[in-house]
């Protein structure tokens, strides 16, 4: 247990998906998210994955970003991307597109990767407060591998309360491999004395029989 806590703390300090979608950052502002997910394999063994997500409003109509992911030192990627608006339908929502390029690795071997994403986002007004829903569909090409198709959904409340709910659903399909999915219900925690937002969730995915613990730290700057 001590090793697990240490791994979580180190990952949060060193790095951490967080909130992509159809919204652009205002010029000169940014957002960073550090995330660690831990799954228990047996009584003494744990598996973890961590990510660092950063986006910055470089121009009024261009948001630049960095997406870094690492899974137990065996696989991971680093991706630079640019997000551009497509159209704003007002209350009906908005569309944006992302183009990304970077590299991925398996063990010590690295190769180029490219990603194209179409995102839809819409603000929500509910009886429990304001919120949002975001749908991201992506094509990801990794050198010497089949094309990866992804479809993700994120929805939550942003009422400003101490606690708000968040739901993340991620799916991906690679030809010749089983369909992958993960579902993560979470609580968003906003301490009044801190400028950071904490997210605590339980992840269940297609590869694990037992759920894992997901901890994220979000911060605007």
């Amino acid at each position: 247990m001590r090793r697990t806590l240490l791994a979580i703390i180190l990952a949060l300090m060193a790095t951490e998906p967080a909130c992509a979608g159809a919204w652009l950052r205002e010029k000169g502002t940014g957002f960073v998210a550090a995330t660690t997910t831990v799954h228990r394999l047996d009584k003494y063994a744990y598996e973890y994955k961590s990510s660092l997500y950063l986006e910055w409003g470089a121009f009024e109509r261009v948001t630049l970003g960095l997406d870094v992911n690492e899974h137990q030192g065996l696989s991971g990627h680093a991706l630079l991307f640019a997000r551009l608006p497509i159209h704003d339908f007002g209350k009906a929502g908005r569309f944006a597109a992302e183009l990304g390029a970077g590299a991925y690795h398996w063990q010590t071997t690295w190769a180029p990767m490219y990603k194209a994403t179409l995102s839809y986002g819409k603000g929500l007004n509910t009886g429990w407060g304001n919120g949002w829903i975001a749908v991201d569909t992506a094509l990801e090409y990794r050198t010497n591998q089949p094309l990866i198709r992804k479809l993700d959904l994120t929805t939550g409340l942003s009422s400003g309360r101490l606690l708000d709910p968040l739901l993340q659903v991620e799916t991906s399909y690679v030809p010749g491999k089983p369909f992958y999915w993960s579902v993560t219900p979470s609580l968003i925690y906003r301490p009044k004395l801190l400028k950071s937002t904490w997210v605590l969730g339980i992840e269940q995915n297609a590869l694990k029989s037992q759920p894992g613990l997901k901890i994220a730290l979000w911060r605007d700057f």
Side-chain angles (χ1 to χ4, degrees), residues 182-197:
S182 71
V183 178
T184 309
S186 306
L187 282 177
I188 303 172
Y189 173 56
R190 303 182 181 88
K192 293 183 179 180
L193 299 180
L194 300 177
K195 295 182 179 180
S196 301
T197 298

Side-chain angles (χ1 to χ4, degrees), residues 2-221:
R2 291 181 180 178
R3 293 182 179 179
T4 304
L5 292 175
L6 179 60
I8 293 172
I9 293 172
L10 290 176
L12 287 172
M13 291 176 63
T15 61
E16 208 179 92
C19 290
W23 289 273
L24 275 67
R25 292 286 158 182
E26 292 186 10
K27 182 180 179 180
T29 67
F31 170 82
V32 63
T35 305
T36 293
T37 305
V38 178
H39 285 270
R40 185 174 183 175
L41 301 180
D42 56 41
K43 186 176 180 180
Y44 302 105
Y46 295 87
E47 181 182 82
Y48 72 90
K49 57 183 177 181
S50 59
S51 65
L52 172 68
Y53 180 88
L54 172 70
E55 57 182 37
W56 174 62
F59 307 98
E60 290 185 6
R61 294 178 59 83
V62 180
T63 293
L64 300 179
L66 171 68
D67 177 15
V68 180
N69 182 284
E70 187 63 34
H71 185 193
Q72 202 81 2
L74 295 176
S75 63
H77 69 254
L79 188 74
L80 293 171
F81 65 84
R83 184 182 307 143
L84 305 170
I86 295 179
H87 192 74
D88 189 342
F89 294 96
K91 294 183 179 181
R94 64 182 65 194
F95 282 95
E98 280 184 16
L99 296 175
Y104 76 98
H105 79 90
W106 171 253
Q107 297 182 346
T108 59
T109 302
W110 286 83
M113 67 174 289
Y114 308 94
K115 186 176 181 180
T117 304
L118 177 64
S119 300
Y120 169 79
K122 182 181 185 301
L124 300 176
N125 294 316
T126 75
W128 299 280
N130 295 329
W132 81 97
I133 183 170
V135 179
D136 304 301
T137 179
L139 296 176
E140 188 172 296
Y141 174 71
R142 301 183 177 189
T143 305
N144 301 321
Q145 291 191 9
L147 187 67
I148 303 173
R149 288 90 162 172
K150 295 185 175 182
L151 178 63
D152 302 334
L153 180 145
T154 304
T155 185
L157 295 182
S158 51
S159 67
R161 290 187 295 260
L162 183 64
L163 295 174
D164 268 327
L166 174 70
L167 177 65
Q168 295 168 298
V169 179
E170 300 179 358
T171 67
S172 65
Y173 173 71
V174 180
K177 295 184 178 181
F179 177 77
Y180 174 82
W181 58 265
S182 71
V183 178
T184 309
S186 306
L187 282 177
I188 303 172
Y189 173 56
R190 303 182 181 88
K192 293 183 179 180
L193 299 180
L194 300 177
K195 295 182 179 180
S196 301
T197 298
W198 291 85
V199 182
L200 179 63
I202 301 297
E203 179 189 289
Q204 182 68 64
N205 65 48
L207 301 179
K208 299 290 186 296
S209 59
Q210 299 294 327
L213 176 65
K214 186 173 184 178
I215 299 178
L217 175 62
W218 299 351
R219 182 153 189 161
D220 295 302
F221 62 90

